[in-house]
Amino acid sequence: MLQIAKFLREDINVDRMRVLVIEDEAELCETIVETLREEGYAVDSSADGEEGLYKALHWDYDAVLLDIMLPKLDGWQVLQVIRKHKQVPVMMLTARDGVEDRIKGLDHGADDYLPKPFDLAEMLARTRAIARRSVGQSSSQLKIGAISIDTAAREVRKEGELVELTAREYALVELFFRKVGEVVTRQYIYDHLFDENEDSLSNMLDVYIYKLRQKLGKDFIRTMRGHGYIVKNESAA
């Protein structure tokens, strides 16, 4: 039996990426989505392969959690089409836990394979790992000037002192760390930090940027007028 007890966290510092869950078991899908959202992820879901494939191809996700036994299109078919168009990390979730199935999944382009039943904490850790590897980030600890981040512990520190952040604030910091030195548009941020049910026209992003500047320093995130925002690693210049 899947361990459906929620993996509760005491701290409020969490990862934030946009994840797609394609799973037709309603209760399991709801549990996964709720668990990921409690961890701070923006999460979209689909109950069949056809809709899931559409979302995977039309939105920019940081990771896809894909069941194999799906209606309309099975997971192998979905994975095959995704791999023709995108390099998004894909983790297969399935009750078919034989060695041959695991090999098939990995050979068809899956980045990881998690047999059911699985522990929710392990699912979270593997999701973080495949997303981290996708951007060439092997270490969970990164540093830009006085600001350091530990994506495994989900902590941000300024000059060594722990900084208390909300889920969204942490997510935004991690996103800038993954895009250091690049101009990040507002649309990119909305695409990765907010799910399909949230309004991209609101001023929520301005509020989060303001709060992060208060906590991490006004120069940590710089505004590129008409373009977006940038975080630079001056020490690497």
Side-chain angles (χ1 to χ4, degrees):
M1 289 290 293
L2 173 70
Q3 297 182 20
I4 58 175
K6 296 176 182 176
F7 181 67
L8 299 176
R9 298 184 53 77
E10 294 182 353
D11 63 343
I12 58 175
N13 294 333
V14 294
D15 280 339
R16 184 71 174 185
M17 298 181 294
R18 189 170 183 179
V19 177
L20 173 63
V21 179
I22 309 175
E23 169 62 64
D24 66 327
E25 295 180 40
E27 184 177 354
L28 174 59
C29 185
E30 183 179 350
T31 300
I32 295 172
V33 169
E34 187 176 348
T35 301
L36 288 167
R37 285 180 175 158
E38 286 177 353
E39 288 290 303
Y41 292 90
V43 187
D44 299 335
S45 64
S46 296
D48 65 70
E50 187 174 275
E51 181 187 71
L53 177 59
Y54 178 85
K55 289 183 177 180
L57 295 180
H58 287 81
W59 279 274
D60 193 11
Y61 293 100
D62 298 286
V64 175
L65 277 56
L66 175 63
D67 187 28
I68 290 180
M69 301 300 289
L70 292 166
K72 298 185 180 179
L73 291 176
D74 66 34
W76 301 124
Q77 294 171 299
V78 173
L79 177 62
Q80 185 176 33
V81 178
I82 289 176
R83 278 293 166 261
K84 289 181 179 178
H85 301 278
K86 291 202 167 186
Q87 295 302 312
V88 57
V90 176
M91 180 163 64
M92 309 299 289
L93 306 176
T94 178
R96 302 173 63 172
D97 61 351
V99 173
E100 291 185 358
D101 287 319
R102 297 188 192 198
I103 293 173
K104 182 178 180 180
L106 296 174
D107 282 346
H108 280 67
D111 296 87
D112 202 354
Y113 191 103
L114 186 60
K116 302 174 184 175
F118 52 81
D119 186 280
L120 292 173
E122 181 181 4
M123 181 270 293
L124 289 170
R126 286 176 178 269
T127 302
R128 288 194 298 270
I130 62 172
R132 198 166 60 230
R133 289 199 299 269
S134 72
V135 293
Q137 179 187 333
S138 58
S139 173
S140 63
Q141 299 186 29
L142 301 169
K143 192 171 188 296
I144 298 176
I147 310 300
S148 60
I149 183 172
D150 186 332
T151 59
R154 301 153 202 164
E155 292 180 346
V156 173
R157 295 178 181 274
K158 180 181 180 182
E159 297 176 341
E161 297 295 325
L162 184 65
V163 180
E164 293 289 337
L165 299 177
T166 67
R168 283 276 170 82
E169 290 167 357
Y170 175 86
L172 194 49
V173 172
E174 184 178 336
L175 185 150
F176 279 122
F177 265 78
R178 289 192 280 129
K179 291 291 183 181
V180 63
E182 300 179 28
V183 175
V184 183
T185 65
R186 292 176 64 89
Q187 187 60 54
Y188 183 91
I189 295 172
Y190 272 105
D191 286 346
H192 286 260
L193 265 66
F194 301 89
D195 61 40
E196 58 191 351
N197 300 314
E198 296 177 288
D199 181 9
S200 63
L201 298 179
S202 74
N203 67 345
M204 287 191 298
L205 179 56
D206 302 293
V207 174
Y208 292 125
I209 294 289
Y210 172 76
K211 289 182 177 178
L212 283 179
R213 283 171 171 160
Q214 283 189 314
K215 296 179 179 181
L216 302 179
K218 62 181 177 62
D219 294 328
F220 178 65
I221 301 172
R222 301 178 187 178
T223 299
M224 305 293 287
R225 295 197 180 282
H227 299 281
Y229 303 95
I230 188 170
V231 168
K232 293 184 177 180
N233 188 358
E234 304 289 1
S235 60

